[in-house]
Amino acid sequence: MKKKFRFQWGAFLLFLTFAGLFFILLARIVTIQATGQVEGQELAAKAAAKYSQEEVLTAERGRIIDRNGDVIAEDTLTYKIVAVVDESATQDPDEPRHVIDVEKTAEMLAEHLETSEEKALSILKQGIEKDRYQVEFGAAGREISHTKMLEMEEEDMPGILFVRDLKRLYPNGVFASHLIGFALKEEDDNGRLKTKGKMGLEAIHDDVLTGENGKMEFDTDNWGFLLPNSKSAVTPAIDGSDLQLTLDRTLQNFLEDAMSNVQEQYTPARMIGVVANPKTGEVLAMSQRPTFNPNTREGLSENWLNESIELTIEPGSPMKIFTLAAAIQEGKWDPDAFYESGSYTLGSDTIGDHNSRRGWGTITFLEGFQRSSNVSMAYLLERLGGENFLKYIDAFGFGQKTGIDLPNEASGKILDQYRSNILTLTYGQGSTVTPIQMIQAASAIANDGVMMKPYVIDQIRNKDTGEVTVDSEPQEAGQPISAETAKQVREVMASTVTSEHGSGKGFALQDYTVAGKTGTAQVPGPDGRYMTGTNNHLYSFLGMAPAEDPELLIYIGVQQPNLPAGEYGSIPVSKIFTSVMENGLKYLNIEPENTQTARTVELEDYTEQSSEHIAPQLAEKGLNVVKTGESSQITAQYPAAGEVILEGGTVILKTEGSSVLPDFKGWSKRELLAYQSLSGLSMEIAGQGYAVSQNLSPGSAVGAGDPIVIQLQIPENSPQVYSDHTTEDVQGDHSEVTEETQGTQEETEEME
């Protein structure tokens, strides 16, 4: 029997419905494929936004280094701590990737960071309540050292991550701090932390020190894992340029140490020190007190001035150097001529010598300079004439900026409206100068009449690109006097140190001759009037050595030291000057004046020879021989062939094999570095000067991985400060012009 067909309307309608949906979906897919858009938005862009990631490659800030490449400021690796509080970060409950126990985590953070447990707990809870993925802990969670990071990792707290970061480090601590300045992290417009120079060279050259960040782009899945076969695009970071200074780290440390010792002993209101190479104008050291540690900003006050170039002072008697130079150049100086010391009258004004106008009777002009007589300068001015004298003051650069490569330089002010102004200028009162002007002017005395412009930037170079944007060279600033005049001035200046009644006897060195001039300048008080009292003066010394051919030029100023009874103001100044100058000249290998000629040995090329054969030969010549290994064949040597060394010097022979540690006591840093290079051993050299101790005993067998620590120390061979000053040697190079202040001055001199 044949079945009757029945049309199923329900099934048909269901078919039409699904067929319609299929064709709609198919049309939508074709449209999306054709246009690449959904609701007006690019699908590719949305996918890239979801799966494409970008990581910033942080550029390092350029280093600030000294003339020898030693680091003054650099970026160092630190870490930033992050706590992940979003549960979605954990895919496997057995390996949690977010903070599980907020109380325990807060306790751990408080133990290791400079934050309280309550504050850490509050940050964690707020992050959870506000559905944040991660939280940070402000300043307390940044700049974490590698050691601290390892300690915290050992706690094994889930959700705690460490992000690599960079911190500005000043490894020398207090070190030309007002010149170098400091840099700090601050947020930019995008909310990212960026190191910014805030003071000194860090701020002045912030643009060249700041590098250009790079980036790395890559694709990830929903959970942040790198997709297979995905390609990354890297735009490398360009580090900032290095700033190489003319400063010498060793000389700077000599200055810092000496100033710190005087600061501790006398607590003066202010100190300024500048060391320069008079032949080139290079500033080798520059410091002041009070100062601060740029790592912590401890000691930083409201005074951000680099006082060597931005502070104006009355120079006091060092100005007599330039009055003398003008007189010699003009043929007006007769050292054996006599004059009556004590006082001098110009119109209605009277000036006096610093011993309450008593003077020393009728004396020669040479003795007058040695005794720092103001009256002798007045008679020299008579011979020179005021207009002619001012011509030399201008030629020496006073009253105008030196043009040093630092901003905000002061020019000082030369008073010349009245004859009394010019008179007091001859011995450094009334008019003002800057310490750096004194250095520039004195370079003409030290450098055979040629005055050199001071500078502190040696080179600016980008180590990534090799581009050199600044490459400084010595620059002449004029020739105010002849070479013969400069020589005569140095001889007269040297006599102030060697003469029995010289004002600079306390500045004599053990092994070198010194040419210089002491100074005692009055200091204006808050009311603009000169302050009175024993300690209320600026004591200074402008000196150079060796006197015959100066290699170093130093200005030291100490204002208002707390002097013990019976001690003169030149003593704290001399403690700084003699220490820095004596140690500085020895560091520069300047031959002492009184040394006998030592026996020398010229080295030959010993490579490829047997150490058993060479070592006895060198020992017979009075040399110390050190091998780096147990092998016999010599593969390298220090010093190199052809170099000449003194008897008793050390020769290092590179030989292969196990190393036996020598006794490093007395070795210089250069010898230690040579041994490290030839031996391949890991050596940490701490301090300055010569080796005084080592962590591993001499004769110890060492390998490449064994840490060797050598401690250096500067020899305590600074000369003693003379204490046999006479009253007239030391203080009171000042004398006011008017009768009104004479009583106060006499009272001050009696106290001194």
Side-chain angles (χ1 to χ4, degrees):
M1 181 175 169
K2 192 175 182 180
K3 289 184 178 181
K4 185 177 180 181
F5 172 76
R6 294 179 62 189
F7 186 78
Q8 299 291 327
W9 283 99
F12 180 70
L13 291 174
L14 187 63
F15 170 77
L16 289 178
T17 299
F18 280 103
L21 291 173
F22 172 76
F23 282 110
I24 292 172
L25 180 60
L26 180 62
R28 183 62 170 160
I29 291 172
V30 171
T31 302
I32 291 172
Q33 287 181 331
T35 64
Q37 293 184 346
V38 175
E39 298 177 354
Q41 299 186 31
E42 292 286 344
L43 285 179
K46 290 176 71 67
K50 184 171 183 178
Y51 299 110
S52 295
Q53 303 291 328
E54 179 179 298
E55 180 178 336
V56 175
L57 301 177
T58 305
E60 286 192 20
R61 188 174 177 84
R63 302 174 302 161
I64 300 178
I65 56 179
D66 83 337
R67 62 188 301 107
N68 300 312
D70 291 334
V71 173
I72 299 173
E74 67 176 345
D75 281 356
T76 186
L77 178 64
T78 60
Y79 296 87
K80 176 177 67 176
I81 193 168
V82 173
V84 178
V85 294
D86 192 337
E87 294 182 1
S88 66
T90 299
Q91 302 300 316
D92 184 354
D94 294 332
E95 296 183 6
R97 295 188 176 184
H98 73 288
V99 174
I100 303 297
D101 189 333
V102 292
E103 285 78 10
K104 188 175 180 181
T105 302
E107 180 183 353
M108 184 274 293
L109 292 172
E111 180 182 345
H112 291 279
L113 304 179
E114 293 183 3
T115 187
S116 65
E117 184 176 342
E118 293 75 16
K119 186 173 182 180
L121 184 61
S122 174
I123 293 173
L124 290 168
K125 287 184 175 180
Q126 285 184 19
I128 295 171
E129 292 169 0
K130 295 181 179 181
D131 293 327
R132 292 177 177 167
Y133 183 80
Q134 65 187 40
V135 294
E136 297 181 17
F137 299 90
R142 295 195 293 267
E143 298 185 354
I144 297 172
S145 68
H146 186 74
T147 302
K148 177 63 68 176
M149 181 272 292
L150 293 177
E151 290 177 1
M152 297 181 73
E153 276 193 337
E154 289 180 359
E155 301 282 356
D156 197 23
M157 298 297 293
I160 298 299
L161 303 177
F162 296 92
V163 180
R164 292 165 64 94
D165 197 8
L166 294 173
K167 171 189 176 182
R168 199 63 169 168
L169 176 68
Y170 303 89
N172 303 297
V174 173
F175 185 96
S177 300
H178 281 79
L179 171 63
I180 304 301
F182 64 92
L184 293 176
K185 285 187 179 293
E186 59 181 27
E187 285 192 6
D188 60 17
D189 296 337
N190 299 320
R192 291 175 176 170
L193 289 173
K194 183 179 181 181
T195 302
K196 181 76 173 176
K198 308 300 291 184
M199 177 185 175
L201 293 172
E202 288 276 29
I204 298 165
H205 294 281
D206 186 63
D207 290 344
V208 296
L209 288 167
T210 301
E212 184 178 339
N213 288 341
K215 62 182 179 180
M216 181 169 65
E217 298 171 301
F218 50 90
D219 296 332
T220 64
D221 59 17
N222 282 332
W223 294 277
F225 292 104
L226 191 67
L227 290 173
N229 301 321
S230 65
K231 295 182 178 180
S232 60
V234 178
T235 303
I238 300 177
D239 294 338
S241 295
D242 285 345
L243 201 63
Q244 185 162 18
L245 308 183
T246 59
L247 297 188
D248 186 296
R249 189 177 73 167
T250 300
L251 292 175
Q252 182 71 39
N253 282 330
F254 288 159
L255 181 61
E256 298 290 357
D257 291 344
M259 293 181 76
S260 293
N261 291 336
V262 169
Q263 176 76 18
E264 182 178 353
Q265 186 174 357
Y266 295 93
T267 60
R270 167 182 287 125
M271 286 194 291
I272 301 172
V274 183
V275 182
N277 181 342
K279 300 180 188 300
T280 63
E282 294 168 294
V283 175
L284 303 176
M286 177 183 285
S287 191
Q288 66 191 65
R289 295 292 184 278
T291 189
F292 66 97
N293 187 326
N295 289 304
T296 61
R297 272 76 64 197
E298 180 182 358
L300 183 62
S301 65
E302 295 180 356
N303 178 25
W304 285 27
L305 296 180
N306 182 356
E307 295 182 339
S308 297
I309 66 165
E310 298 181 65
L311 179 71
T312 58
I313 56 173
E314 291 190 17
S317 286
M319 185 59 74
K320 293 173 182 175
I321 296 171
F322 309 104
T323 305
L324 172 66
I328 293 176
Q329 184 68 28
E330 290 293 312
K332 307 299 184 182
W333 167 253
D334 184 354
D336 299 322
F338 288 88
Y339 76 99
E340 184 65 30
S341 64
S343 63
Y344 178 92
T345 299
L346 177 67
S348 60
D349 298 318
T350 300
I351 68 162
D353 282 323
H354 54 71
N355 59 349
S356 300
R357 296 187 180 182
R358 294 189 300 273
W360 306 271
T362 301
I363 59 176
T364 65
F365 276 90
L366 176 59
E367 183 176 341
F369 189 88
Q370 293 167 347
R371 291 186 181 274
S372 197
S373 168
N374 297 332
V375 174
S376 70
M377 295 296 108
Y379 283 114
L380 283 183
L381 181 62
E382 275 189 8
R383 297 183 177 191
L384 277 167
E387 186 175 344
N388 199 26
F389 171 65
L390 290 174
K391 180 186 71 175
Y392 282 94
I393 291 298
D394 181 70
F396 276 112
F398 295 113
Q400 52 196 296
K401 298 177 181 180
T402 66
I404 190 173
D405 46 2
L406 294 170
N408 306 319
E409 182 185 5
S411 59
K413 186 169 181 60
I414 300 301
L415 301 180
D416 57 3
Q417 185 176 3
Y418 304 108
R419 289 191 302 164
S420 60
N421 296 146
I422 302 174
L423 174 60
T424 58
L425 175 59
T426 62
Y427 53 85
Q429 194 175 53
S431 295
T432 58
V433 302
T434 64
I436 202 66
Q437 283 177 338
M438 300 291 283
I439 288 289
Q440 176 179 268
S443 71
I445 308 298
N447 193 39
D448 290 338
V450 180
M451 190 165 66
M452 302 304 296
K453 178 180 175 180
Y455 65 103
V456 299
I457 306 298
D458 182 29
Q459 189 180 85
I460 300 178
R461 179 186 182 90
N462 188 287
K463 60 184 179 183
D464 286 347
T465 65
E467 180 185 9
V468 177
T469 54
V470 172
D471 193 4
S472 302
E473 295 289 341
Q475 184 176 342
E476 294 183 9
Q479 188 170 352
I481 56 176
S482 67
E484 180 58 32
T485 295
K487 180 182 178 182
Q488 290 185 52
V489 173
R490 291 198 301 270
E491 290 173 351
V492 176
M493 289 168 62
S495 74
T496 69
V497 179
T498 58
S499 169
E500 62 175 322
H501 38 247
S503 62
K505 287 191 294 184
F507 294 85
L509 303 181
Q510 287 182 341
D511 297 321
Y512 303 94
T513 55
V514 175
K517 186 71 192 74
T518 57
T520 305
Q522 290 176 291
V523 179
D527 59 357
R529 295 176 61 85
Y530 286 123
M531 300 173 69
T532 60
T534 306
N535 296 340
N536 288 324
H537 297 86
L538 171 63
Y539 304 103
S540 63
F541 189 75
L542 180 62
M544 56 195 72
E548 299 78 15
D549 184 17
E551 297 288 344
L552 289 179
L553 171 62
I554 299 179
Y555 173 84
I556 302 294
V558 179
Q559 181 177 318
Q560 296 168 279
N562 291 297
L563 299 168
E567 190 166 301
Y568 299 110
S570 66
I571 291 180
V573 179
S574 66
K575 287 185 176 182
I576 300 173
F577 176 87
T578 54
S579 173
V580 175
M581 184 63 87
E582 184 91 35
N583 288 320
L585 291 174
K586 289 180 178 178
Y587 161 70
L588 294 174
N589 292 321
I590 305 303
E591 184 177 347
E593 181 187 26
N594 299 320
T595 57
Q596 296 180 349
T597 303
R599 290 180 57 191
T600 60
V601 178
E602 182 175 349
L603 299 181
E604 300 176 7
D605 185 356
Y606 306 118
T607 57
E608 306 301 327
Q609 299 186 53
S610 169
S611 60
E612 280 78 6
H613 177 65
I614 295 300
Q617 293 181 11
L618 295 176
E620 287 179 3
K621 296 178 180 180
L623 301 178
N624 300 316
V625 183
V626 175
K627 293 170 52 179
T628 64
E630 61 185 356
S631 176
S632 174
Q633 187 177 26
I634 302 170
T635 58
Q637 68 184 70
Y638 172 86
E643 291 198 25
V644 177
I645 64 173
L646 294 175
E647 183 180 12
T650 299
V651 177
I652 305 171
L653 303 177
K654 181 178 180 180
T655 53
E656 302 300 329
S658 301
S659 297
V660 175
L661 213 59
D663 185 353
F664 292 118
K665 188 174 182 180
W667 283 36
S668 68
K669 186 175 183 180
R670 179 177 296 181
E671 290 171 333
L672 291 169
L673 291 173
Y675 183 84
Q676 179 183 26
S677 175
L678 292 177
S679 66
L681 297 176
S682 175
M683 296 173 60
E684 180 180 339
I685 303 171
Q688 298 292 332
Y690 296 88
V692 293
S693 65
Q694 59 196 78
N695 67 326
L696 299 179
S697 302
S700 302
V702 290
D706 294 328
I708 304 168
V709 181
I710 311 295
Q711 183 65 46
L712 306 186
Q713 184 174 310
I714 297 168
E716 296 182 359
N717 57 358
S718 297
Q720 288 186 328
V721 177
Y722 287 93
S723 58
D724 58 341
H725 300 282
T726 60
T727 303
E728 58 267 28
D729 298 327
V730 187
Q731 308 208 55
D733 294 341
H734 54 274
S735 175
E736 210 15 284
V737 122
T738 62
E739 294 284 357
E740 179 182 357
T741 61
Q742 185 60 35
T744 302
Q745 174 150 341
E746 290 175 354
E747 178 185 355
T748 300
E749 292 295 344
E750 289 172 2
M751 293 174 62
E752 295 171 347

